[in-house]
Amino acid sequence: MGALGDLGGLIMTPLYYAISAVLVAWHWMLTQIGLDPDSGLTWVLSVIGLTLTVRAALIPLFVKQIKSSRNMQLIQPKVKELQKKYGHDRERLAQETMKLYKESGTNPFASCLPILIQMPIFLALFRLLDHHAAKGDGKAFITTELAHSFQNAELFGVIPLKATFLKADGSTAVMVVAALLVIAMTATTFTTQRQLMSKNMPADALSGPYAQQQKLLLYVLPVVFAVGGIAFPIAVLFYWTTSNLWTMGQQFYVIRNNPAPGTAAETAKKERDRLKAEKHGRKVEPEAEALPVVEEPRPQARQQPKKQSKKQRKQTPGQRPSPTPKPKTEGGTDA
């Protein structure tokens, strides 16, 4: 356990310093424009600023996630063909599937990268706010003075940021705000996943193992967040809800402006482009439809000349060969 603890500390300590630096920087900037440094609103806005900073830094990973998800959707028909061909041989199927991923430049784990990267950040923030700042114990760049400031900060003067739904101390206001934030966190998670499946997945990709994985996440993740959310401090709930809203807006922008081929989002974009072009007086040429393939008539086989005897070949061209004389009977008449 000691070795695991040391490894965890080695991983989390840099995150403590990075997250606390961003959080303290936002808190300092907000106090410079006149906000009360000990106000709950100031600390909530600092947490939201931290969220926006983290998510902006993760944009390259999000772009990679979108590309990987799109490739996964587009190669689903080929995956199904491999399953039909090598379904009886799991080892060969796995080899051919990985070969297909490599040839198409698809990483099946890239779609999980933003979540995997965010989890340590979330845990570090949770530890900073719940186990250090909320208890007045400074950590990294959060000094003891700032920790006491956060410990006593209250939103609207009645909702402590360190409080949770389970530890509301009988405060109805805390329970209501915490419940609303948990519902918002759960709803935004569900909406984001649902938006991806309903608008930016081709019909062929809505069946198969990848689609089953997406459907599982659609219902499991919101339940996980709802169950875990009741134990999160109010400040952490603001972080996660803001992060979900960022994800939903970012994904909406990508789906709207760069949809995957063969999806409902692509059809909607083409219709918007057509209406926009007509509004500006430009004529939009309809896409060429595939014409039926007409087979060209095959050339008639060249008729081979009949075999001729040597005598016939010596005759003058154009001269008809003389008829063969008929044999005569005994009376001198022709048979």
Side-chain angles (χ1 to χ4, degrees), residues 97-119:
T97 303
M98 293 306 298
K99 181 179 178 181
L100 176 62
Y101 288 157
K102 186 176 180 179
E103 291 175 351
S104 60
T106 303
N107 184 356
F109 302 105
S111 59
C112 303
L113 279 178
I115 295 178
L116 294 177
I117 295 296
Q118 281 193 85
M119 289 310 298

Side-chain angles (χ1 to χ4, degrees), residues 261-283:
T263 61
E266 184 188 40
T267 303
K269 184 178 185 301
K270 289 180 179 179
E271 180 64 16
R272 289 194 307 270
D273 293 342
R274 184 185 66 81
L275 294 175
K276 184 177 179 180
E278 290 179 353
K279 183 178 179 181
H280 290 83
R282 297 194 303 268
K283 184 178 180 181

Side-chain angles (χ1 to χ4, degrees), residues 302-316:
R302 182 178 178 182
Q303 188 174 3
Q304 297 295 332
K306 294 181 180 181
K307 292 184 177 180
Q308 296 179 342
S309 63
K310 185 175 181 181
K311 180 180 180 181
Q312 290 174 335
R313 287 197 300 270
K314 290 182 178 181
Q315 291 178 352
T316 306

